[in-house]
Amino acid sequence: ARGSNAASSSFDSLRDFLSFRAEVNEGKRKAIKTGFPSLDGILGGFAQGGLYIIAARPGVGKSALGVAMADMMARESAVLYASLEMSADELNARRVAAFSPAPCTCGKLLFGKTTGAEDTAVIAACGVLAERKLHILAVPSLTVPQLEIQARNVHAQVVMVDYLGLLSTADRKASEYERVTQISGDLKRLAKRLNCVVLALCQLNRESTTGGADTRPKLSQLRSSGAIEQDSDGVLLLHRPEYGQSETQRNPAEPQEFFIDVAKNRHGRTGTAELAWYAPVNRFVDNAGKWEVRSWI
């Protein structure tokens, strides 16, 4: 039977499958949508029990997309966002900037004084975001077992880690390859045990910025261990054409092209989703179809 360590007969396993199908039809089992139609059209959503990797070079926008996607999914699902890079205030500055009804940049929310009108907009954004089922864990160090405890405590349906390379293991003498291999396997097993979606942000090797005109990232550039690609149910590679270019000559109010290449998808097809990123306020807009900037709030 399902959940047992013993092998099932064809009859028993198919009976369990039909029960599973009934739960799918009843809406008890469903993929968790990212909130971006063009990406959901490729993935079909994130599968429960699945490990997904979101990878890019530093500075491309992994954390920016991760926070935005977490807020999107938290409209309907309990999300645990574990950050080993940023404080809760830094994360919330990005969230509030994206949802503020009046323009207020992430930088100003962190370091500048705001006007009365801006304060009103910030409070309005906080009112919207307070309803989200998002739990923020901002810590300097974390192991996968500690992450699992936190996920169980909040009954997380989605666990997002920013980022995989900063997670710790018990074996301090292990090489980076061994450490990343262990963490990757542990995250996959965590997803299975809790029947939740695990999203792990990951860095790419520097070679992704070299080699001529083709700078789009590749699966082979996942950092430190081939186990990451092997263990994952899906790999999303982020690409921003303006990455590495000077910011001084561009209009900050204009969006940047932001591509999500679904390079691996165990449950469906691959393809590319195109977004527009308003970097100063950390707002992402799906370019597929007629989708207004404010419609995702």
Side-chain angles (χ1 to χ4, degrees), residues 120-137:
T120 300
V122 166
I123 292 171
C126 288
V128 172
L129 293 169
E131 301 299 319
R132 302 292 162 104
K133 303 174 184 178
L134 180 63
H135 305 269
I136 293 176
L137 176 65

Side-chain angles (χ1 to χ4, degrees), residues 180-230:
V180 171
T181 297
Q182 179 183 334
I183 290 170
S184 176
D186 287 347
L187 288 174
K188 177 64 176 179
R189 287 184 284 274
L190 184 154
K192 289 292 186 185
R193 279 195 299 271
L194 301 189
N195 194 36
C196 69
V197 174
V198 173
L199 295 165
L201 278 58
C202 183
Q203 288 193 1
L204 293 175
N205 288 319
R206 291 190 179 277
E207 63 183 274
S208 63
T209 60
T210 62
D214 184 13
T215 60
R216 294 186 86 102
K218 303 175 181 63
L219 280 172
S220 60
Q221 293 158 354
L222 282 171
R223 195 165 184 172
S224 304
S225 173
I228 296 175
E229 179 185 350
Q230 178 179 312

